[in-house]
Amino acid sequence: MPPFVSIIVPCYNEETTIRHLLDAVLAQTYPRAQMELVISDGLSTDRTRAVIAEFQKEHADLAVRVVDNSTRTIPSGLNQAIRESGGEIIVRLDAHSMPIPEYVERSVSALEAGKGENVGGVWDIRAGADTWIAESISFAAAHPLGVGDAMYRLNAKAGAVDTVPFGSFRRSLIERIGAFDETLLSNEDYEFNTRVRESGGTVWLDPAIRSVYFSRSTLKKLAVQYWRYGFWKLKMLRRYPHTLRWRQALPPVFVFILFVLIVLSLFVGLARYILAAQLLFYFIALGSAGLKLAIEKGKGFILIGLPLAIMTMHIFWGAGFLWSGISDLFVKHD
């Protein structure tokens, strides 16, 4: 008999995407009797729970449970779901995701084949809404200028990696290295995978394990997301400074130089020329990327939308990172 699998999902106000996830779990090729879905909900105020309840009535043959995540953070939701689950194998998904039918089956196979202690796949990123800016954001979220060398968002080959976006692992891994760090309100997956690697384990990326991920639908939501990413990334790097990658260092360096040049340009003429040169080079790079993709996709709005989305990602990730460091100066550390 195949091992019992618990799919865990942190969730909060996801009425627009949660049904996509539920239907995708229902369509899994893995034996339904050997699978459960545990949704850790942060006390949603929209129709998320109503959508889940409707699904439960329609498909009583799939074990779906909702547990309360009163702390309302992603890592606390993940840990709550793990505590409430009974599976030998844990498959972590997201309320913004839609796994392919073979997702669970392939994840379990990779674990049983000993590929890694935590295995995951790649994202097929789609727009979070039917608007030109939402579609532009989805392209930016998979573009090298936006995400650097993050292999799970790009064309990837199977192999050991630093991290995977979600991941599947045996319950015994939690017992060995600990659960998700609830003091980190973002970057919890990366931190968890760092502990996997530092314990001697392997984080394995298999491009056959695929899921659709719905990106943010507006620039405002994208800005909030990337500010949070940058802010909590520095908190994680305080513990694991050796995990810093070049693509993560560039946004805060860019934003810092930009800020310094803006201030200096108020008093120093040379700084104005350097600032103008930096911005010109930056906008040419973004504009060229937008033009190339607009031609490839045959969609003119990408010429404007892609640069706007990538610029939002860079500036807010970098600013969040820097603000995290500034705020640390006023906090006493043990």
Side-chain angles (χ1 to χ4, degrees):
M1 181 179 293
F4 191 76
V5 172
S6 294
I7 301 171
I8 62 168
V9 178
C11 175
Y12 178 70
N13 284 355
E14 301 291 355
E15 65 174 315
T16 60
T17 60
I18 193 66
R19 183 69 195 221
H20 295 305
L21 170 68
L22 294 168
D23 289 337
V25 171
L26 183 70
Q28 291 299 302
T29 57
Y30 200 76
R32 199 168 295 172
Q34 292 299 109
M35 187 172 63
E36 68 172 349
L37 172 60
V38 182
I39 301 173
S40 185
D41 179 60
L43 310 179
S44 292
T45 57
D46 64 357
R47 293 194 67 258
T48 296
R49 292 209 177 195
V51 173
I52 297 171
E54 291 167 4
F55 179 87
Q56 288 172 308
K57 290 180 182 178
E58 296 169 10
H59 305 285
D61 56 330
L62 176 63
V64 179
R65 286 189 293 134
V66 179
V67 298
D68 289 340
N69 172 25
S70 56
T71 306
R72 290 185 171 181
T73 69
I74 292 176
S76 67
L78 291 171
N79 291 338
Q80 179 68 11
I82 290 172
R83 287 192 294 268
E84 298 283 347
S85 67
E88 174 188 343
I89 290 177
I90 308 295
V91 175
R92 183 252 201 269
L93 285 173
D94 189 276
H96 278 260
S97 67
M98 189 168 64
I100 63 170
E102 301 82 11
Y103 191 97
V104 173
E105 181 181 350
R106 291 176 180 175
S107 296
V108 173
S109 295
L111 286 170
E112 294 193 317
K115 297 291 187 180
E117 279 65 38
N118 191 17
V119 302
V122 297
W123 281 350
D124 173 15
I125 301 179
R126 296 186 188 175
D130 187 20
T131 63
W132 70 272
I133 194 62
E135 192 168 354
S136 297
I137 290 170
S138 70
F139 286 125
H143 196 283
L145 277 180
V147 297
D149 60 352
M151 294 308 295
Y152 61 86
R153 297 182 186 232
L154 307 172
N155 293 325
K157 296 180 180 179
V161 293
D162 287 344
T163 192
V164 287
F166 301 139
S168 304
F169 46 88
R170 297 184 184 277
R171 184 177 295 273
S172 56
L173 179 64
I174 292 285
E175 296 167 355
R176 180 158 59 88
I177 70 169
F180 290 91
D181 188 337
E182 296 189 20
T183 67
L184 291 174
L185 304 190
S186 187
N187 288 285
E188 73 286 338
D189 284 324
Y190 199 102
E191 192 277 338
F192 181 79
N193 285 314
T194 298
R195 279 187 280 130
V196 170
R197 291 184 284 106
E198 295 198 342
S199 70
T202 298
V203 180
W204 186 263
L205 177 72
D206 183 349
I209 301 172
R210 308 186 69 87
S211 63
V212 170
Y213 180 81
F214 295 98
S215 57
R216 296 303 188 266
S217 57
T218 66
L219 290 178
K220 180 180 179 180
K221 292 179 179 178
L222 184 68
V224 170
Q225 179 186 28
Y226 272 78
W227 174 279
R228 189 177 72 250
Y229 283 173
F231 186 90
W232 290 101
K233 184 65 177 182
L234 183 59
K235 306 296 185 188
M236 200 211 76
L237 287 173
R238 288 174 62 90
R239 305 174 201 177
Y240 308 101
H242 59 283
T243 65
L244 179 65
R245 300 293 181 261
W246 68 267
R247 64 181 173 87
Q248 300 160 347
L250 289 179
V253 170
F254 171 74
V255 172
F256 177 75
I257 293 175
L258 188 65
F259 176 77
V260 170
L261 287 175
I262 289 174
V263 173
L264 288 178
S265 67
L266 298 175
F267 312 100
V268 182
L270 178 60
R272 297 184 195 123
Y273 292 107
I274 298 174
L275 174 62
Q278 177 180 339
L279 291 176
L280 179 63
F281 176 80
Y282 184 64
F283 289 135
I284 287 175
L286 294 187
S288 298
L291 178 61
K292 182 175 182 294
L293 193 62
I295 293 173
E296 289 176 0
K297 301 295 182 180
K299 297 180 177 182
F301 63 79
I302 295 176
L303 179 60
I304 297 175
L306 186 76
L308 281 175
I310 292 178
M311 185 168 56
T312 299
M313 294 162 70
H314 288 170
I315 291 176
F316 282 88
W317 201 101
F321 189 98
L322 293 173
W323 180 249
S324 182
I326 293 170
S327 62
D328 273 352
L329 297 176
F330 302 95
V331 176
K332 292 182 179 180
H333 297 284
D334 295 330

